[in-house]
Amino acid sequence: MTTRTTHAIQCICCPTSCLGEADVEDGRVVETRGLTCEVGEAYAADEVVAPKRTVTTTVRVTGGKLHLLPVVSERPVPKEAVRDCVRLLRGVEVAAPIETGRVIVADALGLGVAFRASRDISAAPPQSAQV
Amino acid sequence: MREATYDVVAIGGGPAGMAAALAAKEAGAERVLIIERDRELGGILQQCIHNGFGLTRFNEELTGPAYADRYIKMVGAAGVDAWLDCTVLAAEPGGAITCVGPSTGLTTVKAKAVVHSMGCRERTRGAIRIPGTRPAGVFTAGAAQRMVNMEGYLPGRDVVIVGSGDIGLIMARRLTLEGARVRAVFEIMPYSNGLTRNIVQCLQDFDIPLYLSHSVVAVHGHDRVTGVTVAEVDADLRVRPGTEFDMACDCVLLSIGLIPENELGKAIGIQSDRVTGGAVVDQYRQTSVPGFFAAGNVLHVHDLVDLVSEESAAAGQSAAQFARGLLPDSARQRPVSAGPGLRSVVPQRLSPAAPGRFSASFYFRASRPMGPSILTLRGDDGAVIWNRKLSKGVKPSEMIVAQIPYARFARAEALEFALAPDEAAEAELKSKREAKL
Amino acid sequence: MEDLRSPGGVPPRADVVVIGGGVVGSAIARELSRYRLSVALIEREPDVATGTSKANSGILHAGFDAEPGTWKARLNVRGARLYSEIAEGLGIPRREIGSLVVACTLTEREELEKLIVRGRQNGVVGLELWDRERVLEHEPHVSRDIEGALWAPNAAVACPFLATVAFAENAARNGVRLVTECAVTGFDIDGGRLTAVRTSRGRIETRFAVNAAGLYSAAVARLAGDDSFKISPRVGEYVVFDRSITELARSVLFPTPTKVSKGILVSPTVHGNIFIGPNAVDVDQLDHTETTSSGLEEIISGARRMVPDLPLQSAITEFAGLRASAGHDFIIGESPAMKGLVHAAGIQSPGLTSAPAIAETIAECLREAGLELKPNPSFVPVNPRRPKFAEATRSEQAALVEADPLYGRVICRCETITEAEIVAAIRAPCGARTIDGVKRRVRPGCGRCQGGFCGPRVTDILARELNIPVTAVRKEGAESYLFFARERFGDVAGERLEDGERVHA
């Protein structure tokens, strides 16, 4: 006999923001209530059993015009891995110059997800050291 | 004192200024300049390292800096000049701009058309008069965001956030990920101002409680914040006596609103809208002073940068046309107003349609959250001349845009928009929800 | 953790130790620097003007309010005249805009007539009684429900913190040694006579000390075994408005005074803002500078009595200040418990106005107590002029930037303050060492954005100029650090790291 658990789900796909419920059996969403479109259903299917989040944070830069480089995960990572990804990146230092899109960490925590630079940073001493 | 001449000058090089400058170039303005007070272009986007930008503009979900990067490269490729680390001191009618920078010196720029794209500033503690002491540790959320994301410092280690607008929510997540403890978000209204997505991904994901209908009534601490006193408020936003409680913290972040940074416009008497805080403009984004255009947050506070780019492109294109003498005379203007259910509408005036333009875009804010609604346009006799169903409901924090053909309101002398709940659709949605229960 | 206190420490001996870096102590130190004396000015906080001197109405009173024959009366009038002579040379912003004491009832009008008599006795000139029409002509925003007002043309508004900084800077330029973060811990006494002042930063051998410790002056007196007076702190709250509403008042608007206080004013500041306040509430603690919702309501309704159309939505900040009230009059004179210790205590309104006159009087007291006052031939009574970019003409601005590119970087957009001015304020003698110190001297943070834009930039400039990490920059008080380092290292073991220690990079 398989167990069925019920989870609340707050849909975030559009401004209607339906609040509903999803039943999970065998690690799959088998029924939803309170959601009113297929976009919400698709969101619920993932969010309830295997929620993922895009991670954005900063890494330190050496020899660049700015001190910090914003980075973003190429794809969403499992929600439970977010904090560890951020901690990992906090220990990373990158040397300028850097171009948008450059891979900063190729495979974070073995999840198969790369982190890329969100912007260019040119090589130069930081502005505040001189006029 | 140096001098320079340009066809179109954008004051402010954030997303608004860049989109305007680019569009001006594309519309035939030869010499286009952006004057930006920060050390680089990009404006507020550079500190918004989270994603959610560009879904409609680029069909991709980008981070703030990545969105800025796209425009910075387009602007560079188009041959737009940019003066950085340079502040505009004054911009006079007739187009004489005085600006100063360490490398440019004091310079006067003669411009045929000027676009105001200065963005906005944050509402401060002083503006809402939170009583108590004035210790270190009280910051506006945007200023804190800059320190965290661009300089690498935390504003505190035990944080309380006032206001549930998106900046506050985003900072709740950011600070948590950077090692601080975020104790709570307090929102004075009975509903949150931020995107539901942010409530889920910034608060719920981290078990940060959101207290609706709560207000911070005192800040404590001598040298540094030691805590706040919070209380419940009633429907009139007055404190309910006896509901006060203390919460220890070492940092208070204020996310209580944005105000268009409109001082350059006020200095030359540009007519401003008391509700939006920005200029009164027509559909070309021209203000009451000919040759001066406004777009982006300085005109009215936006929530999606994609709309900023859209609006600013229109302003830039119009500025270029003005510079070339091609914009129709705005002498005969019709007023546009925000009626029941709406807080504001931009543009607030309609000038005659330019040749080749068949529709005008209107940007609205609802006055309160509503379920499925109907947006209506009435002419002078009160008859409805256009309407649109907004079946997904409306929130004050989400700007509504409607593009309406000129033909629909050709004969109205004054246009009044209104927003009302769509009872039929509401009933249908309710039964849909209940059917599945 | 490095020592962030002002370098140098206390001198081992001095001819005079002035205790307290408020406007009174600073004025006294400057007065003493006219003579060939070694003077130490010690201040417990990281900067001068952090107590009452930074949180008051900034009015240079005409002098009709004080009771004839008191120190307050004599020194108010003398002080007002001194400011008119020395303010410009010292760089103290001052505007003689006149004041109106408004009477809302006939009884209050009678009070005005008493004030005129008192004023004349005190030596105040130019006082006139105006009828309603004349008042409204001068001040169109005043309520129509008034019976008249007392006009005093010589009343002025000044900047109380710039006055303090100007006196302290001039004192330093003339040889006074300023030591901050230095609190008095005790006195050495021999045969009833002062022999040394003990402080948190060392012992200073001296035979003369001046107690100008403001709110703490009774505590300092007690350290000398003198409990001849008590300080009762009384808080006053203020609201400051955006500079765009200057037309609300041209002169200082007072209500008719009561026995307790001059009342809730509506007044321009010397910088062009309008402010309202203060109320007057007795409190227990000497550092109770809190605004309260009841206090703010009180000053708003009080101000509205005089100016009904007060635009509350244009309020930009609120603050509270404490008056060091010792009762009826200032306490000026040698301590009955210790020879050589002279008090300049209980200085509440008209303290700012009286400060330079108090300084003259204290110098006299010291002479009478045995201190030899030989003129200092190299005394320079003025401070060097420092350019203000915002007030310069366009060609002056162009020249400033040509000479120093840092005049070209606008750090404070609201008040148009440039990096060069901020750097100058930090590098000057008695320079700024904190965010609020910069704010007091050159104004970034005083405008409508209240430091939102300029704050991170001023922090960066302070860190650079003082050669300290950003995490060591303070707002005002000794422990008022603004920023913390993030957790430094990544650790993927999934362990929760310790909260970031404050790491100085």
Side-chain angles (χ1 to χ4, degrees):
Chain A
M1 175 130 123
T2 50
T3 27
R4 177 185 274 224
T5 51
T6 304
H7 305 260
I9 177 90
Q10 166 72 74
C11 186
I12 62 170
C13 298
C14 85
T16 311
S17 304
C18 294
L19 189 57
E21 289 179 333
D23 288 349
V24 176
E25 232 177 66
D26 281 334
R28 260 182 348 100
V29 169
V30 294
E31 193 185 310
T32 68
R33 291 173 294 283
L35 304 180
T36 60
C37 75
E38 316 87 64
V39 180
E41 307 270 358
Y43 171 75
D46 238 359
E47 176 71 3
V48 175
V49 294
K52 295 187 184 48
R53 299 284 185 262
T54 303
V55 181
T56 54
T57 185
T58 53
V59 299
R60 279 171 289 130
V61 175
T62 52
K65 215 164 169 208
L66 300 175
H67 310 294
L68 297 178
L69 169 72
V71 296
V72 56
S73 61
E74 230 173 15
R75 288 190 318 281
V77 308
K79 185 169 138 187
E80 331 66 82
V82 169
R83 287 196 206 232
D84 285 340
C85 283
V86 172
R87 270 198 209 111
L88 169 74
L89 287 155
R90 202 170 306 120
V92 169
E93 231 172 47
V94 175
I98 299 155
E99 339 62 61
T100 308
R102 190 211 293 181
V103 171
I104 303 299
V105 169
D107 183 0
L109 306 176
L111 296 167
V113 175
F115 276 80
R116 292 179 179 273
S118 276
R119 57 167 293 165
D120 294 348
I121 294 187
S122 52
Q127 174 102 25
S128 60
Q130 61 195 56
V131 174
Chain B
M1 211 148 87
R2 277 160 248 198
E3 286 186 3
T5 308
Y6 281 89
D7 296 306
V8 175
V9 175
I11 303 178
M18 291 195 288
L22 193 61
K25 239 347 177 127
E26 287 165 358
E30 270 185 46
R31 288 173 57 76
V32 178
L33 170 69
I34 298 173
I35 305 178
E36 166 56 49
R37 68 184 175 186
D38 208 333
R39 57 199 167 193
E40 56 180 358
L41 295 175
I44 207 73
L45 288 175
Q46 297 294 13
Q47 63 186 62
C48 296
I49 65 164
H50 52 282
N51 64 336
F53 304 88
L55 272 166
T56 50
R57 177 65 184 83
F58 294 113
N59 263 316
E60 291 176 60
E61 205 177 312
L62 301 173
T63 62
Y67 190 102
D69 183 68
R70 298 278 171 102
Y71 269 93
I72 291 171
K73 295 192 161 110
M74 290 193 279
V75 151
V80 171
D81 287 344
W83 294 356
L84 305 175
D85 202 6
C86 186
T87 303
V88 171
L89 301 174
E92 304 296 335
I97 300 172
T98 309
C99 62
V100 72
S103 35
T104 55
L106 190 77
T107 307
T108 315
V109 182
K110 281 206 184 51
K112 293 195 184 136
V114 177
V115 178
H116 278 179
S117 44
M118 295 87 77
C120 54
R121 61 175 184 271
E122 300 183 272
R123 179 167 278 118
T124 64
R125 173 186 176 179
I128 63 171
R129 291 190 291 285
I130 303 180
T133 53
R134 306 210 299 171
V138 180
F139 300 94
T140 49
Q145 188 182 49
R146 184 168 174 119
M147 285 308 284
V148 174
N149 291 341
M150 302 201 75
E151 310 297 329
Y153 297 100
L154 295 178
R157 292 192 285 213
D158 203 345
V159 183
V160 147
I161 298 179
V162 181
S164 66
D166 288 316
I167 306 176
L169 300 179
I170 293 288
M171 282 308 286
R173 174 175 63 190
R174 185 76 185 117
L175 288 172
T176 307
L177 289 176
E178 288 290 275
R181 178 181 166 185
V182 177
R183 291 202 180 227
V185 175
F186 296 109
E187 166 58 53
I188 197 169
M189 299 301 278
Y191 52 84
S192 162
N193 257 322
L195 298 171
T196 308
R197 169 187 156 133
N198 286 334
I199 304 280
V200 171
Q201 298 192 349
C202 300
L203 299 188
Q204 289 174 4
D205 275 11
F206 301 97
D207 296 318
I208 298 170
L210 169 63
Y211 291 72
L212 295 175
S213 295
H214 276 71
S215 177
V216 170
V217 297
V219 171
H220 306 293
H222 192 265
D223 285 8
R224 178 86 203 179
V225 172
T226 52
V228 291
T229 304
V230 187
E232 228 182 279
V233 299
D234 61 22
D236 298 315
L237 306 186
R238 305 191 89 94
V239 169
R240 278 192 212 280
T243 62
E244 292 89 350
F245 62 94
D246 287 337
M247 186 174 275
C249 61
D250 75 354
C251 176
V252 180
L253 285 200
L254 302 171
S255 174
I256 53 178
L258 297 172
I259 301 166
E261 185 111 63
N262 207 3
E263 315 313 315
L264 287 175
K266 289 186 189 156
I268 59 170
I270 286 181
Q271 191 190 355
S272 61
D273 179 328
R274 291 183 74 222
V275 175
T276 60
V280 168
V281 294
D282 66 10
Q283 71 273 40
Y284 307 116
R285 297 301 185 270
Q286 183 162 211
T287 68
S288 59
V289 175
F292 279 77
F293 299 77
N297 278 347
V298 78
L299 176 59
H300 52 151
V301 175
H302 284 256
D303 34 86
L304 279 187
V305 73
D306 308 63
L307 283 180
V308 167
S309 299
E310 189 181 292
E311 171 172 83
S312 306
Q317 181 186 50
S318 307
Q321 288 176 326
F322 181 93
R324 296 167 65 199
L326 298 174
L327 207 60
D329 181 18
S330 54
R332 189 195 147 250
Q333 285 188 325
R334 294 179 276 171
V336 179
S337 56
L342 288 172
R343 195 168 166 264
S344 63
V345 61
V346 171
Q348 303 93 331
R349 300 271 183 275
L350 270 183
S351 292
R357 308 254 197 134
F358 300 106
S359 61
S361 288
F362 296 87
Y363 296 60
F364 307 90
R365 286 224 182 259
S367 55
R368 64 180 202 286
M370 284 186 232
S373 324
I374 306 183
L375 180 65
T376 53
L377 169 60
R378 289 185 159 75
D380 329 320
D381 56 357
V384 175
I385 55 183
W386 171 94
N387 69 33
R388 170 174 307 164
K389 286 184 199 275
L390 303 171
S391 54
K392 303 245 176 222
V394 296
K395 284 172 84 166
S397 56
E398 285 158 20
M399 195 176 274
I400 300 160
V401 187
Q403 195 174 15
I404 308 175
Y406 279 111
R408 299 299 283 268
F409 47 79
R411 264 177 265 130
E413 281 303 313
L415 280 67
E416 185 181 291
F417 287 94
L419 188 63
D422 181 351
E423 260 122 46
E426 180 79 69
E428 199 186 313
L429 191 62
K430 191 162 177 240
S431 65
K432 226 175 163 183
R433 282 200 184 108
E434 279 163 7
K436 296 190 136 206
L437 231 41
Chain C
M1 174 66 172
E2 66 232 89
D3 190 350
L4 298 168
R5 303 176 296 178
S6 56
V10 296
R13 71 158 307 283
D15 292 327
V16 186
V17 175
V18 179
I19 303 166
V23 69
V24 174
S26 302
I28 292 170
R30 173 185 180 260
E31 186 66 22
L32 294 175
S33 72
R34 291 178 184 279
Y35 305 103
R36 286 206 258 150
L37 297 167
S38 57
V39 180
L41 173 61
I42 63 177
E43 162 56 49
R44 56 186 267 139
E45 296 295 332
D47 196 6
V48 300
T50 54
T52 306
S53 297
K54 78 162 179 186
N56 59 75
S57 312
I59 314 283
L60 298 179
H61 297 282
F64 48 79
D65 189 69
E67 204 186 293
T70 57
W71 282 117
K72 287 182 178 177
R74 260 179 286 159
L75 299 178
N76 182 153
V77 173
R78 172 83 186 132
R81 187 160 321 131
L82 282 171
Y83 275 107
S84 70
E85 292 161 15
I86 64 179
E88 202 184 321
L90 283 171
I92 300 174
R94 174 183 172 273
R95 283 195 294 139
E96 204 168 291
I97 56 176
S99 69
L100 284 167
V101 182
V102 175
C104 294
T105 63
L106 288 168
T107 320
E108 288 185 348
R109 231 207 102 115
E110 281 163 25
E111 265 305 302
L112 296 186
E113 311 203 0
K114 292 190 196 149
L115 287 177
I116 286 204
V117 170
R118 203 188 295 174
R120 289 189 184 129
Q121 269 185 282
N122 289 338
V124 183
V125 295
L127 295 174
E128 287 173 12
L129 217 44
W130 285 3
D131 62 14
R132 180 198 295 126
E133 277 62 50
R134 183 97 191 266
V135 176
L136 292 174
E137 200 190 300
H138 193 77
E139 297 281 10
H141 289 268
V142 167
S143 163
R144 262 139 189 65
D145 268 334
I146 57 168
E147 292 297 333
L150 169 63
W151 166 248
N154 298 129
V157 288
C159 181
F161 14 100
L162 282 175
T164 310
V165 170
F167 288 135
E169 184 181 324
N170 193 242
R173 285 181 186 280
N174 286 304
V176 170
R177 173 90 154 262
L178 167 66
V179 188
T180 56
E181 289 184 79
C182 180
V184 173
T185 53
F187 295 99
D188 285 349
I189 181 168
D190 186 13
R193 175 142 216 122
L194 173 69
T195 57
V197 177
R198 276 179 280 116
T199 80
S200 56
R201 293 184 72 174
R203 186 174 173 276
I204 311 172
E205 222 180 84
T206 185
R207 288 170 59 238
F208 295 95
V210 179
N211 176 11
L215 292 159
Y216 298 92
S217 50
V220 167
R222 272 199 301 279
L223 288 173
D226 175 348
D227 48 34
S228 57
F229 66 93
K230 194 167 95 79
I231 294 294
S232 307
R234 196 178 304 136
V235 73
E237 301 176 51
Y238 296 85
V239 178
V240 181
F241 293 82
D242 192 296
R243 46 163 70 251
S244 61
I245 58 152
T246 44
E247 72 290 351
L248 219 59
R250 294 166 58 179
S251 53
V252 183
L253 302 176
F254 292 96
T256 306
T258 65
K259 287 217 181 333
V260 176
S261 86
K262 292 184 170 67
I264 295 166
L265 329 180
V266 178
S267 176
T269 67
V270 72
H271 303 289
N273 299 89
I274 296 281
F275 78 88
I276 64 174
N279 57 346
V281 177
D282 290 310
V283 294
D284 292 322
Q285 289 130 308
L286 294 177
D287 59 2
H288 178 120
T289 51
E290 277 184 41
T291 52
T292 59
S293 44
S294 53
L296 294 173
E297 267 174 46
E298 195 188 334
I299 61 179
I300 289 168
S301 57
R304 277 186 166 146
R305 250 184 107 218
M306 281 197 296
V307 178
D309 51 353
L310 204 61
L312 277 186
Q313 68 279 8
S314 300
I316 61 174
T317 190
E318 305 70 45
F319 62 93
L322 283 170
R323 307 161 177 89
S325 169
H328 179 59
D329 198 5
F330 296 157
I331 308 227
I332 297 193
E334 197 173 26
S335 165
M338 182 185 283
K339 288 211 175 320
L341 176 65
V342 173
H343 295 311
I347 313 295
Q348 49 169 160
S349 184
L352 170 66
T353 322
S354 307
I358 295 173
E360 289 179 331
T361 308
I362 292 294
E364 231 357 83
C365 282
L366 287 166
R367 188 211 298 276
E368 279 165 23
L371 180 68
E372 201 180 343
L373 298 182
K374 283 201 289 258
N376 170 9
S378 49
F379 175 74
V380 179
V382 298
N383 287 325
R385 263 197 191 306
R386 274 202 281 275
K388 290 189 188 148
F389 186 89
E391 293 172 12
T393 63
R394 291 289 181 231
S395 49
E396 285 167 352
Q397 289 175 338
L400 283 171
V401 184
E402 276 297 313
D404 180 358
L406 288 185
Y407 275 104
R409 183 172 295 129
V410 174
I411 298 293
C412 166
R413 174 68 195 104
C414 304
E415 306 279 312
T416 316
I417 313 289
T418 64
E419 185 164 344
E421 295 160 87
I422 296 170
V423 169
I426 296 169
R427 293 186 184 173
C430 181
R433 301 182 66 80
T434 58
I435 292 285
D436 282 3
V438 171
K439 176 177 164 182
R440 272 195 288 285
R441 287 162 176 75
V442 282
R443 291 184 64 74
C446 291
R448 57 185 66 91
C449 90
Q450 288 290 296
F453 176 72
C454 60
R457 291 160 174 81
V458 174
T459 302
D460 198 48
I461 295 169
L462 270 168
R464 183 188 78 211
E465 290 293 313
L466 298 178
N467 200 24
I468 59 178
V470 165
T471 49
V473 175
R474 296 174 292 178
K475 178 179 185 282
E476 175 88 294
E479 301 297 314
S480 63
Y481 302 102
L482 289 152
F483 298 106
F484 302 91
R486 326 187 277 162
E487 291 174 6
R488 195 128 171 104
F489 303 108
D491 175 351
V492 300
E495 275 167 16
R496 189 84 179 85
L497 288 172
E498 288 301 309
D499 269 349
E501 310 243 23
R502 206 179 302 130
V503 173
H504 296 304

